[in-house]
């Protein structure tokens, strides 16, 4: 199991998810990476292969992924270039799979480009931005996103959003399942409801739903 945090975050943001999955028997690699310093392709190549190697050394035969936000784009970028024979299932939390309108708006400002670096600038919604160039999913993936934006951020989106990514733009062609829950972007990975849904998808290939 490999966890990938999001833009301007650290591995500690995924700590509760790592603990939850560890309690369910998964061997978890939770690497950190300098998300604001390099392009996404560079980050993917420097972060994911060492985590894969660490799990292989421990005898892991199936490697699942759980990502938050830009971590999902790292995974897509990596898998677009490198096959992974042990690849199992992936759950993406609030991924900007079709970019984010916030990047479209704030990307013109120097302070945004300075703070979030080259990777942040790659996450716009245009056809030349990286998410649009990565293509559909070619692996089993489920997506959980939120619809509770922080105060003042809803105005940047034409429809429901988590305050960073719209529900519509979290979707990915080829995904197995998608679930929208009443949470915001930044802390969605810490909610027990979300963690339980992640574990359910990893085990069953679908999210659990109450009739």
């Amino acid at each position: 199991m490999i966890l990938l945090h999001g833009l301007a975050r650290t591995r500690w943001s995924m700590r509760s998810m790592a603990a939850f999955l560890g309690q369910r028997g998964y061997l978890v690699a939770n690497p950190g990476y300098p998300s604001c310093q390099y392009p996404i392709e560079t980050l993917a190549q420097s972060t994911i292969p060492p985590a894969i190697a660490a799990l292989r050394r421990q005898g892991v035969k199936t490697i699942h992924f759980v990502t938050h936000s830009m971590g999902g784009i790292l995974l897509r970028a990596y898998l677009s270039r490198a096959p992974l024979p042990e690849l199992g299932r992936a759950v993406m939390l609030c991924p900007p799979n079709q970019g984010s309108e916030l990047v479209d708006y704030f990307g013109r400002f120097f302070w945004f480009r300075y703070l979030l670096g080259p990777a942040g600038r790659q996450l716009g919604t245009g056809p030349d931005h990286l998410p649009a160039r990565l293509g559909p999913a070619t692996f089993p993936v489920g997506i959980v996103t939120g619809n509770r934006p922080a105060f003042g951020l809803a105005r940047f989106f034409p429809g429901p959003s988590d305050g960073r990514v719209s529900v519509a733009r979290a979707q990915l062609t080829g995904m197995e399942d998608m679930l929208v829950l009443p949470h915001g972007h930044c802390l969605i990975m810490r909610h027990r409801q979300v963690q339980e849904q992640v574990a359910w998808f990893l085990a069953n290939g679908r999210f659990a739903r109450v009739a």
Side-chain angles (χ1 to χ4, degrees):
M1 168 76 62
I2 297 174
L3 309 185
L4 296 170
H5 64 77
L7 181 64
R9 306 297 290 271
T10 71
R11 63 189 298 268
W12 299 110
S13 67
M14 301 292 280
R15 181 170 55 180
S16 64
M17 181 67 75
F20 179 87
L21 293 172
Q23 291 167 1
R24 277 148 186 78
Y26 292 101
L27 286 173
V28 179
N30 181 24
Y33 62 93
S35 62
C36 299
Q37 296 183 25
Y38 301 100
I40 289 170
E41 299 91 335
T42 302
L43 294 169
Q45 291 301 318
S46 64
T47 305
I48 297 176
I52 292 172
L55 292 179
R56 284 173 173 166
R57 287 194 297 270
Q58 298 180 76
V60 174
K61 302 302 182 184
T62 301
I63 299 178
H64 302 297
F65 287 83
V66 178
T67 70
H68 177 237
S69 193
M70 190 180 78
I73 310 304
L74 260 70
L75 177 60
R76 289 176 62 198
Y78 178 78
L79 293 176
S80 71
R81 298 185 178 188
L84 179 59
E86 304 98 325
L87 181 61
R89 293 172 174 143
V91 179
M92 297 179 178
L93 307 178
C94 303
N97 277 321
Q98 300 176 49
S100 172
E101 288 89 348
L102 282 187
V103 176
D104 293 343
Y105 182 83
F106 289 110
R108 54 186 163 156
F109 297 110
F110 170 79
W111 61 264
F112 179 93
R113 300 192 299 272
Y114 176 78
L115 289 175
L116 298 184
R121 298 195 295 272
Q122 292 179 281
L123 296 175
T125 65
D128 294 330
H129 286 93
L130 183 59
R133 294 189 281 110
L134 290 175
T138 57
F139 54 96
V141 58
I143 294 169
V144 180
T145 196
N147 60 5
R148 293 292 186 271
F151 178 77
L153 292 175
R155 65 188 182 92
F156 292 102
F157 303 94
S161 77
D162 64 8
R164 299 292 188 277
V165 179
S166 69
V167 170
R169 292 193 180 277
Q171 299 179 56
L172 178 61
T173 300
M175 63 186 180
E176 299 289 332
D177 202 359
M178 184 173 182
L179 195 61
V180 180
L181 296 175
H183 303 300
H185 185 90
C186 295
L187 299 179
I188 192 167
M189 75 292 281
R190 299 185 184 181
H191 292 280
R192 180 54 63 93
Q193 176 192 31
V194 173
Q195 295 171 351
E196 290 174 347
Q197 289 286 351
V198 167
W200 187 271
F201 184 90
L202 294 177
N204 300 283
R206 294 282 175 179
F207 294 116
R209 287 177 170 84
V210 178

